[in-house]
Amino acid sequence: MFGREQAVVEAAVLEANAGFYAAFSAGDVVAMAKLWAEDVRITCLHPGSPLLVGRDAVLESWRVILREAPSSRLRCDHALVSLLGELAIVTGYEAAGEQPAHLAATNVFVNQQGAWRMVHHHAGPLSAPIRKPSAASRAN
Amino acid sequence: MFGREQAVVEAAVLEANAGFYAAFSAGDVVAMAKLWAEDVRITCLHPGSPLLVGRDAVLESWRVILREAPSSRLRCDHALVSLLGELAIVTGYEAAGEQPAHLAATNVFVNQQGAWRMVHHHAGPLSAPIRKPSAASRAN
């Protein structure tokens, strides 16, 4: 993949990743359901929790979590895309509002008919909070 | 992919995943270096720690961690493979010796010339320990 093409694909993955945090921040269960992949096994590790497997279990967990929209927007700082063909791994630090990040996240996306959709989410606590990057350096 | 072929591929991925925990348990830096992918960006989120990017940073972290071989073997309980073409996501619970699991793990592998090699590792604390499965139900 040439540099320009790769940048376009990475931007599309970052947009999908931002969509996940936007759905979370808005408490939007419908958007959350749409952004997860179909026809493949999806998996989710919420912070500290056992694994959830399959659309029913994963989307039910989001329905419960998003029953109340969070009081502040959830950010994903330092989002980094690693492209691997039709898959992409995004890593980042999750934070609420203007707070320092308190979770490390792994989000895996698969390209389905041109759309990047989530197949796996894993968020786990950071031992030490990571400060919000300055506006100039924010990846997302 | 047919059921039998899929089972063969999943077994190969589980073997690669077991190789990671064997290298960790043995404090084997050479084996650890070999099992990570080459010519693609590799990333690693050790429990609570910021992201490490690239072979130099990731392998240096393992050299430090494995300077002393752990006193007991590291297990990966309930290892589950999700195949996505040339990529595989393995989730599982990490535990030492006979202890209950204390970490949830995401391990991503890519097929490089027929060998499944790690491109991403993320381990994060579980809120509550998860008991060791009985011998009959152990996936790995």
Side-chain angles (χ1 to χ4, degrees), chain A residues 41 51 81 93 106 120 122, chain B residues 41 48 51 81 93 106 120 122:
Chain A
R41 179 196 284 154
L51 182 72
V81 181
Y93 304 125
T106 295
H120 179 64
H122 180 173
Chain B
R41 179 197 284 153
L51 182 72
V81 182
Y93 304 125
T106 295
H120 179 64
H122 181 173

Side-chain angles (χ1 to χ4, degrees), chain B residues 2-137:
Chain B
F2 294 106
R4 188 188 173 89
E5 188 189 348
Q6 183 170 332
V8 169
V9 175
E10 286 187 6
V13 174
L14 285 174
E15 193 179 327
N17 192 61
F20 170 72
Y21 292 97
F24 194 119
S25 300
D28 188 337
V29 174
V30 175
M32 183 60 79
K34 276 190 189 164
L35 63 85
W36 284 85
E38 297 190 70
D39 305 320
V40 293
R41 179 197 284 153
I42 63 172
T43 45
C44 186
L45 280 162
H46 293 298
S49 298
L51 182 72
L52 300 173
V53 181
R55 279 188 77 84
D56 287 354
V58 172
L59 296 184
E60 175 58 22
S61 77
W62 287 112
R63 270 189 290 275
V64 172
I65 291 168
L66 300 180
R67 206 161 276 165
E68 292 179 30
S71 55
S72 54
R73 189 176 176 279
L74 195 73
R75 311 192 312 268
C76 180
D77 293 344
H78 297 287
L80 178 75
V81 182
S82 296
L83 284 179
L84 297 149
E86 297 301 299
L87 260 94
I89 302 170
V90 181
T91 53
Y93 304 125
E94 298 183 350
E98 298 300 307
Q99 297 298 310
H102 63 294
L103 296 169
T106 295
N107 297 323
V108 186
F109 295 86
V110 62
N111 192 324
Q112 293 192 316
Q113 287 90 47
W116 290 95
R117 300 178 74 182
M118 188 171 271
V119 288
H120 179 64
H121 169 70
H122 181 173
L126 288 161
S127 304
I130 294 176
R131 277 193 304 174
K132 185 181 177 182
S134 64
S137 67

Side-chain angles (χ1 to χ4, degrees), chain A residues 12-93:
Chain A
V13 174
L14 284 174
E15 194 179 327
N17 192 61
F20 170 73
Y21 292 97
F24 193 119
S25 299
D28 188 338
V29 174
V30 174
M32 183 60 79
K34 276 190 188 162
L35 63 86
W36 284 85
E38 297 192 69
D39 306 321
V40 292
R41 179 196 284 154
I42 63 172
T43 44
C44 187
L45 281 161
H46 293 298
S49 297
L51 182 72
L52 300 173
V53 181
R55 278 189 78 83
D56 288 352
V58 172
L59 296 184
E60 175 59 22
S61 77
W62 287 112
R63 272 189 288 275
V64 172
I65 291 167
L66 300 181
R67 207 160 276 164
E68 293 179 29
S71 55
S72 54
R73 188 175 178 279
L74 194 72
R75 312 191 312 269
C76 180
D77 292 343
H78 296 289
L80 179 75
V81 181
S82 296
L83 285 180
L84 297 150
E86 297 301 297
L87 265 96
I89 302 170
V90 181
T91 53
Y93 304 125

